[in-house]
Amino acid sequence: MWRQKLLLSVRLCSNLCMNKEVSEISRHRDCLQLWNEIKEQQVNLYLSPRVEKVIVTYRGFLGESTLEMTKGISTPLDCAKHLSEILVKESVIAMVNNNPWDMNRPLSCDCSLDFVQFKGPHYDPTVANNAFWQSCTLLLAATLETAFHQEHNVRVINLPLLNPKSGGFVCDISFNPGHQSLENWTPSPQELYALNTHIQRMAADDLSFEPLDVSIHSELLQKLFSDNPLRSQQISHVFNEHQDSSNTLQLDLSSNKDRFTERSTLPVYRVGKFVEVPTSNSTYYHNIVLT
């Protein structure tokens, strides 16, 4: 069980802990409100002037089925609900046109669809395992930003990707000790247990990992982290990588061919009331309760 193997590996860099530029104003409520506003705007674009449909062809171990779903709103999870309760409960991520896809990411064109389970009969479970560990990383980030008193001003700096074989996951944070005696703080077994309990409680809430693609040319993504200069700088670096590198690509699902185009968006994920941007452009999170 993942709870028994939980590794809370937190890098508390001394040059970041006392950084006075980090705002002391809690960002969670403002970020969540802005995320919801952008989400509503995107949904309204697909509802007006008229609702369009997409044809989703499911090909999996249950056979083949064709579904007519709402463009830009329906997700693989919605498709699974039409097909089988087994797919809803056991699927980790979807495969859209043979590419990994978030269970809660809307479908915007005609496509083929299948689902990946941890012990699926016809898919390499590597993509499912990667999604699991990356989901754990995001939950760890949510835990660290919400478990401490506000005076410690914990802020996520980076979400490094590790090889699952390492058996753990990491979140880089900035941390304001608040007192000289805590400048070289090392978590005690009791404190690690408290953090472990906090993350287990979040996992037990059956929270969905909801992605929202935001244009890298828009200021909205920067505003999500306007009170966190360190994170804004890191996000700006991700922006530049996407804009300057011709190797940063994403699948263009509007084409029947596997044609790739330069990526123009970054995903912003919501987990409950927590909002964050993954560092990697190839990160996928599943919607299953982590138990």
Side-chain angles (χ1 to χ4, degrees):
M1 300 294 288
W2 81 278
R3 291 175 177 173
Q4 297 173 335
K5 299 179 180 179
L6 179 63
L7 173 62
L8 289 171
S9 179
V10 184
R11 301 175 186 172
L12 296 176
C13 302
S14 59
N15 63 324
L16 296 179
C17 290
M18 300 301 294
N19 194 309
K20 302 300 183 181
E21 294 182 359
V22 179
S23 172
E24 295 182 0
I25 300 175
S26 176
R27 69 181 176 88
H28 298 129
R29 182 174 58 186
D30 293 339
C31 287
L32 180 60
Q33 180 179 351
L34 185 53
W35 190 97
N36 288 332
E37 290 175 358
I38 300 172
K39 177 69 173 180
E40 183 178 2
Q41 292 172 7
Q42 293 189 4
V43 169
N44 288 336
L45 287 176
Y46 286 101
L47 293 178
S48 178
R50 64 184 180 85
V51 176
E52 298 183 28
K53 298 294 183 178
V54 295
I55 302 300
V56 180
T57 304
Y58 166 75
R59 297 187 182 94
F61 71 91
L62 296 179
E64 181 172 330
S65 300
T66 300
L67 302 172
E68 187 178 69
M69 307 300 292
T70 303
K71 180 179 180 179
I73 296 178
S74 297
T75 66
L77 182 59
D78 295 323
C79 296
K81 292 176 181 178
H82 286 285
L83 295 168
S84 170
E85 187 68 18
I86 295 177
L87 294 177
V88 175
K89 291 183 177 180
E90 298 186 5
S91 297
V92 181
I93 59 174
M95 298 295 289
V96 175
N97 289 357
N98 296 319
N99 288 273
W101 197 264
D102 298 283
M103 291 290 288
N104 290 295
R105 182 182 297 280
L107 302 167
S108 59
C109 66
D110 297 348
C111 61
S112 64
L113 175 67
D114 198 359
F115 300 92
V116 182
Q117 297 82 34
F118 285 118
K119 297 181 180 180
H122 60 290
Y123 270 114
D124 183 344
T126 299
V127 289
N129 290 332
N130 288 340
F132 172 81
W133 286 106
Q134 291 160 15
S135 299
C136 291
T137 298
L138 192 62
L139 275 183
L140 176 60
T143 295
L144 294 174
E145 281 215 3
T146 58
F148 290 85
H149 291 297
Q150 186 171 339
E151 65 185 79
H152 295 301
N153 197 32
V154 177
R155 290 291 185 268
V156 171
I157 302 302
N158 192 18
L159 302 175
L161 294 181
L162 298 182
N163 189 322
K165 293 182 180 180
S166 66
F169 38 93
V170 173
C171 175
D172 292 334
I173 65 171
S174 63
F175 176 80
N176 182 6
H179 191 276
Q180 187 175 2
S181 62
L182 297 176
E183 288 186 3
N184 297 316
W185 173 69
T186 299
S188 67
Q190 292 78 12
E191 289 167 331
L192 287 176
Y193 179 81
L195 290 173
N196 192 8
T197 301
H198 190 91
I199 196 172
Q200 288 186 39
R201 188 180 299 115
M202 292 186 65
D205 286 339
D206 192 13
L207 301 177
S208 296
F209 294 82
E210 301 181 59
L212 180 67
D213 290 330
V214 178
S215 172
I216 61 175
H217 302 293
S218 171
E219 295 181 0
L220 293 176
L221 190 58
Q222 286 288 342
K223 289 181 180 179
L224 286 171
F225 307 100
S226 60
D227 72 330
N228 187 351
L230 292 175
R231 185 60 171 150
S232 294
Q233 183 179 9
Q234 202 272 341
I235 294 299
S236 296
H237 178 68
V238 176
F239 277 1
N240 293 332
E241 285 186 344
H242 282 288
Q243 291 173 323
D244 297 338
S245 175
S246 60
N247 294 324
T248 305
L249 306 171
Q250 70 173 2
L251 181 64
D252 181 7
L253 293 176
S254 63
S255 171
N256 292 327
K257 299 180 180 179
D258 289 340
R259 183 169 64 87
F260 288 80
T261 58
E262 184 176 355
R263 189 183 182 110
S264 60
T265 62
L266 284 177
V268 181
Y269 281 83
R270 171 185 173 179
V271 183
K273 297 181 179 180
F274 181 73
V275 176
E276 189 52 74
V277 178
T279 302
S280 171
N281 61 13
S282 59
T283 303
Y284 305 94
Y285 299 94
H286 61 72
N287 71 306
I288 304 300
V289 183
L290 302 181
T291 57

